Amino acid sequence: MQIGQKIMRFDRVDSTNNYTANLLKEGKIVHGTVIMADTQTAGRGQRGTNWTSNAGENLLFSLFIAPDNLSVENQVALTHFASIGIVEVLRKIGISAEIKWPNDIYVNQKKIAGILIENTIKGGIISNSIIGIGLNVNQIHFENFNATSIKIETNTFSSIDSIVFKLIDELNTLWEFIQKSDFQTIKKRYLNSLYQLGTKALYQDDSGKFEGVIEGVSEMGYLQIRKEGELKEYDLKEISFLVASD
Ligand code: BTN
């Protein structure tokens, strides 16, 4: 089944990812189903954070995916798939966005979208995945000053429907790479949009602040930074991005 062939929309749910997980538990969901809501009462972000969004103003989207044969070693392809999908949609509406490793979408140092991927792994295979996407569309005031939206960037109102259909189109195109196990193409496209790739910048690891250069991501998705001549690999909790004033 194509991605988005079935779309379920709700005024209000706790979290579109939770709603999807519950349908999965009940055996009532098929590959490619999209769950959307106008508002979430318990929207979730990465690392146990909350995801807040004004009612009806933004895209709150979960995609249920059941890959044919995606092994755990290649699970990072799902991060690449979702990140590029959003960057491409934004590019098509004139916004140049970047992926801040691993999967935050930024425009001029401000976050426009976040991704929360929850996989079920059985015997070394990703049996299914819930890919949650929160994309700021028409909201213009944020509690977090470091956020932006399509409306802020383009000064134009966008219908959430038009954005969701564009996103579904992109994801269908990108899904073919995953189906063909062409993980290299998808990784290359991810690297093409990776924030601070190849430029000297400030980071912090467990031994302190340092100036380094992102050179890529490993096969498992770890961030590779050249630090004092040595190529180091970092997992999410092991590295922070600093700005020049930090
Ligand atoms: C992050 O950057 O912290 C990830 C944010 C993910 C938010 C989306 S909104 C739709 C889906 N449902 C959730 O509860 N979270 C994701």
Side-chain angles (χ1 to χ4, degrees):
M1 195 174 89
Q2 292 268 85
I3 290 171
Q5 200 156 309
K6 181 163 185 193
I7 301 179
M8 298 168 80
R9 292 182 89 126
F10 301 95
D11 292 341
R12 167 190 293 250
V13 293
D14 56 347
S15 142
T16 55
N17 270 33
N18 293 355
Y19 195 94
T20 309
N22 287 332
L23 286 181
L24 173 62
K25 235 182 267 165
E26 293 165 11
K28 289 186 187 150
I29 193 160
V30 290
H31 167 86
T33 303
V34 165
I35 311 286
M36 288 169 63
D38 280 350
T39 190
Q40 299 183 126
T41 52
R44 293 186 289 114
Q46 292 157 25
R47 284 161 274 166
T49 56
N50 298 326
W51 185 260
T52 55
S53 163
N54 287 354
E57 294 189 356
N58 301 316
L59 179 65
L60 303 169
F61 171 107
S62 294
L63 167 64
F64 177 75
I65 287 293
D68 291 336
N69 188 14
L70 181 65
S71 65
V72 193
E73 291 81 57
N74 294 316
Q75 67 178 316
V76 73
L78 296 175
T79 300
H80 298 168
F81 158 77
S83 311
I84 310 164
I86 301 170
V87 168
E88 277 298 311
V89 169
L90 293 171
R91 193 178 61 78
K92 289 195 172 145
I93 53 179
I95 299 174
S96 162
E98 289 177 297
I99 304 160
K100 188 168 176 185
W101 181 85
N103 56 11
D104 286 333
I105 312 301
Y106 271 68
V107 180
N108 298 326
Q109 323 273 343
K110 292 191 171 177
K111 183 159 166 174
I112 195 163
I115 302 170
L116 178 66
I117 300 182
E118 297 177 295
N119 293 331
T120 309
I121 297 167
K122 281 196 190 121
I125 296 286
I126 311 287
S127 56
N128 54 65
S129 175
I130 298 170
I131 301 180
I133 295 178
L135 169 61
N136 299 333
V137 180
N138 292 313
Q139 187 168 333
I140 50 173
H141 299 293
F142 292 93
E143 273 171 40
N144 175 356
F145 75 96
N146 204 23
T148 190
S149 65
I150 293 177
K151 173 84 171 69
I152 293 175
E153 297 301 323
T154 61
N155 220 0
T156 332
F157 172 90
S158 302
S159 84
I160 297 194
D161 278 5
S162 73
I163 302 295
V164 80
F165 289 123
K166 284 191 178 76
L167 179 60
I168 286 171
D169 268 3
E170 285 305 332
L171 294 176
N172 271 307
T173 306
L174 292 166
W175 188 251
E176 292 188 9
F177 293 104
I178 296 200
Q179 268 193 320
K180 286 187 291 193
S181 298
D182 183 358
F183 305 120
Q184 288 315 318
T185 301
I186 221 163
K187 178 175 173 183
K188 214 162 122 193
R189 290 188 55 186
Y190 174 86
L191 291 177
N192 274 340
S193 296
L194 193 66
Y195 174 66
Q196 288 183 352
L197 179 76
T199 52
K200 210 182 259 181
L202 220 48
Y203 300 95
Q204 179 158 18
D205 64 10
D206 58 6
S207 39
K209 293 179 189 176
F210 68 95
E211 219 177 35
V213 178
I214 296 179
E215 291 199 353
V217 292
S218 71
E219 292 306 308
M220 291 300 285
Y222 296 126
L223 186 65
Q224 297 170 320
I225 305 186
R226 179 133 336 244
K227 176 186 179 186
E228 290 151 17
E230 196 188 332
L231 195 62
K232 299 237 175 200
E233 286 191 359
Y234 295 98
D235 200 354
L236 197 54
K237 292 188 196 87
E238 299 167 345
I239 189 82
S240 316
F241 287 66
L242 301 180
V243 286
S245 55
D246 284 332

